[in-house]
Amino acid sequence: MSPLLEGFGALLDPTVLLCVAAGALLGMLVGAFPGVTATMAVALASGFTLTLDPLPGLAVLLTIYVSANFGDRVPAILVNTPGTPASIATTFDGYAMARQGRAGLALTSSAFASAWGTLVGVVLLMVAAVPLSRLALNFGPAEMFALVVFGLTMMIGVSGGRVLKGLMAGGLGLLLATVGRDPITGAQRFTFGLPELSDGIPFIAAIIGLFGIAEVMNQILVHRSGRPVEPITNFGRWFPGRADWRAMLKPMAVGSGVGGVVGVVPATGGDIAGILGWDQARRLSRRPEEFGKGSLEGLTAADTSSNATLGGSVTTTLALGLPGDSVMAVMIGSMVVWGIQPGPSLFANQPDLVFSIAGIMLLATVVALVVSLLRMRGVARLLELPQHFLWAVILVFCMVGTYAVNNSVLDVAVMLVFGLVGLFLKRFGLPPGPVVLGLILGTLAEGNLRRALQIGGAEAITTSPIAVALLVVSVLALAVPPLRSAWGRRRRRRRETASSDSGAGTDAGTPVA
């Protein structure tokens, strides 16, 4: 039997189908609550799914990942608050449409655009993953080290323009990755006599603390009574007409292309793709002046682009072993616990699993679309629930899920410590993504660097065209954002100086009465 048929056939297992249904409901709920990100939800669910077989467990996590990118559009459109970072660009036009009495049209159009973007991303996964993995099979220790550096610096470089803070967070992650056994000699390091730390810091506990506990603590600290924006109650008509579909086709095509390309780049995500897709569609539109004021084109371009990254991020994760985004960073930890090692060897050892993952994402997209169209009004009512109920539920699940991984109280303590670390990061504007990436990739980077130096010294890296190219791109990823900001500030000062000189010259030439 071919890997394609075997992989898709495994999805007929009733347990897998049940897990997809459960993941779709959880993902929609997660997305609908502002502040509860898909990364946080997948990290929280990881503690429970590790007791399942790999395929049902992946079905839950991947479906949460997919369906959260449907549910997060609800608060973005109705209360102008992104449910997850991927729906930031949805607020540009979605809330304006809702204020115009077109909330129903915005919600359903967003659902169709999200589904189309996800399907395009899954097709990209099925087409591009195998060639990418074959290319990666030619990588030696030097190339793998450069690839890991590239993945880490890409996430730092897109840390909201905070490159220095991203470097600090990434350095913290690399430092934490040294806890455990030496990747070459096997000697224990920084374990403080605790045998539980011999395999390194418990990854699931650290992730749940950074994204779950830290987010709840931060929301409690900044909570204010009452809502700044009241949800929209006038939904208007729900389904797009023929003219609406014609207006949606071009921006959906543009968003698919932008999201597909952005998704393959390691460590980028739907938030970046959504903004880029919205901006590119505006440039190509015949009515660019409507963007940001309730444009259906802008809404569908942003949602298609942000969802098209899902398949690309999974492609990068499976083919190269590098997290495509923060959700994939969490999912890699679960895969390793299940004995699944993402990377080029996965396609040689378990090709059917790759097609099963693609099939799960296709099925999850269909289920999430159906739930979105049938129960969107009910999901919207979730915005009326008090936040403190949600906080209590999340805290309980964080503790139970962390303890359930290894039945270890130490894991719970690690989770709480990382919760405080995550809160510190949030309060001082440090992005948690590079910490996670450094924690995951630190051992891989160190091991490959030391092997490359043992084999051929520094020349093993400097004489490899692939390694040099990746390292150059990594340096540019760090250097370009601050240089661009400095250049922008310099141009603004020049304009201000020129305008002040012009005003002074005009005043000097004006006769005094």
Side-chain angles (χ1 to χ4, degrees):
M1 184 182 296
S2 69
L4 176 63
L5 295 177
E6 188 175 353
F8 277 78
L11 303 182
L12 299 178
D13 186 346
T15 303
V16 175
L17 297 176
L18 182 62
C19 288
V20 169
L25 294 176
L26 289 173
M28 292 293 292
L29 293 175
V30 164
F33 285 108
V36 186
T37 65
T39 306
M40 175 181 171
V42 171
L44 188 58
S46 297
F48 296 92
T49 56
L50 292 179
T51 59
L52 301 173
D53 292 333
L55 194 58
L58 284 172
V60 174
L61 300 182
L62 286 168
T63 308
I64 290 175
Y65 181 37
V66 171
S67 56
N69 283 270
F70 283 79
D72 63 351
R73 318 292 150 158
V74 176
I77 292 171
L78 297 183
V79 295
N80 201 30
T81 304
T84 69
S87 61
I88 290 174
T90 306
T91 62
F92 294 172
D93 288 290
Y95 185 64
M97 290 182 64
R99 291 288 300 273
Q100 296 166 5
R102 298 189 294 162
L105 176 62
L107 290 169
T108 51
S109 300
S110 172
F112 283 121
S114 299
W116 175 253
T118 308
L119 292 176
V120 170
V122 174
V123 171
L124 176 66
L125 165 63
M126 299 175 67
V127 171
V130 173
L132 194 60
S133 67
R134 288 175 179 169
L135 174 64
L137 284 173
N138 299 320
F139 284 15
E143 291 79 10
M144 285 303 300
F145 166 72
L147 185 63
V148 170
V149 173
F150 172 70
L152 184 59
T153 53
M154 283 304 299
M155 176 164 278
I156 293 172
V158 299
S159 298
R162 303 165 294 174
V163 175
L164 180 60
K165 292 183 177 180
L167 280 171
M168 294 171 59
L172 175 61
L174 292 174
L175 183 65
L176 294 171
T178 61
V179 176
R181 293 190 180 93
D182 185 288
I184 303 298
T185 66
Q188 293 195 14
R189 307 178 300 187
F190 309 114
T191 59
F192 305 101
L194 296 173
E196 293 88 349
L197 295 179
S198 59
D199 292 328
I201 292 176
F203 181 75
I204 299 299
I207 290 296
I208 292 177
L210 281 173
F211 289 97
I213 299 295
E215 182 63 38
V216 171
M217 289 180 176
N218 188 59
Q219 288 190 24
I220 292 174
L221 288 177
V222 302
H223 178 63
R224 298 290 185 270
S225 60
R227 293 184 179 274
V229 182
E230 290 297 327
I232 301 295
T233 56
N234 179 24
F235 289 92
R237 65 185 177 92
W238 284 86
F239 285 92
R242 185 175 301 177
D244 297 323
W245 281 110
R246 284 198 298 268
M248 292 163 55
L249 290 178
K250 182 178 178 180
M252 287 171 65
V254 173
S256 299
V258 173
V261 173
V262 173
V264 177
V265 179
T268 55
D271 50 349
I272 298 171
I275 296 172
L276 291 178
W278 181 88
D279 183 63
Q280 192 62 32
R282 179 179 59 84
R283 295 173 185 271
L284 298 175
S285 174
R286 295 180 179 178
R287 296 180 293 274
E289 69 280 356
E290 296 180 3
F291 278 62
K293 302 176 182 178
S295 170
L296 183 61
E297 294 181 47
L299 174 70
T300 51
D303 289 344
T304 304
S305 185
S306 62
N307 279 271
T309 61
L310 271 62
S313 64
V314 175
T315 301
T316 302
T317 303
L318 297 182
L320 302 179
L322 291 177
D325 56 19
S326 57
V327 178
M328 286 293 107
V330 176
M331 208 168 294
I332 280 182
S334 297
M335 289 181 180
V336 171
V337 174
W338 279 316
I340 302 170
Q341 184 58 56
S345 60
L346 179 65
F347 292 80
N349 301 331
Q350 296 175 283
D352 56 309
L353 180 63
V354 178
F355 289 108
S356 293
I357 289 174
I360 288 171
M361 295 184 71
L362 289 173
L363 186 58
T365 301
V366 174
V367 173
L369 176 61
V370 172
V371 173
S372 297
L373 297 178
L374 295 181
R375 302 301 304 165
M376 191 69 76
R377 192 184 296 270
V379 173
R381 292 186 63 85
L382 293 174
L383 297 174
E384 302 174 6
L385 293 176
Q387 280 187 308
H388 55 270
F389 289 141
L390 182 63
W391 295 335
V393 171
I394 290 175
L395 287 174
V396 170
F397 273 96
C398 284
M399 293 183 181
V400 174
T402 301
Y403 181 80
V405 176
N406 296 312
N407 293 329
S408 171
V409 177
L410 179 65
D411 285 9
V412 179
V414 170
M415 176 200 70
L416 295 174
V417 170
F418 272 85
L420 294 175
V421 172
L423 180 63
F424 173 85
L425 295 176
K426 283 181 176 294
R427 305 306 288 181
F428 286 90
L430 295 170
V435 178
V436 176
L437 208 59
L439 184 59
I440 293 173
L441 301 179
T443 303
L444 186 61
E446 180 189 1
N448 281 290
L449 175 60
R450 290 170 62 179
R451 290 187 192 97
L453 294 177
Q454 289 175 355
I455 293 172
E459 293 182 358
I461 299 175
T462 58
T463 58
S464 169
I466 296 177
V468 171
L470 289 172
L471 291 175
V472 168
V473 174
S474 301
V475 172
L476 291 176
L478 296 178
V480 168
L483 290 176
R484 184 184 298 168
S485 300
W487 178 252
R489 289 194 298 269
R490 186 176 180 182
R491 291 184 63 184
R492 284 195 298 270
R493 284 197 298 267
R494 283 181 176 178
R495 286 197 299 266
E496 291 171 359
T497 303
S499 62
S500 61
D501 291 344
S502 175
T506 302
D507 292 340
T510 302
V512 179

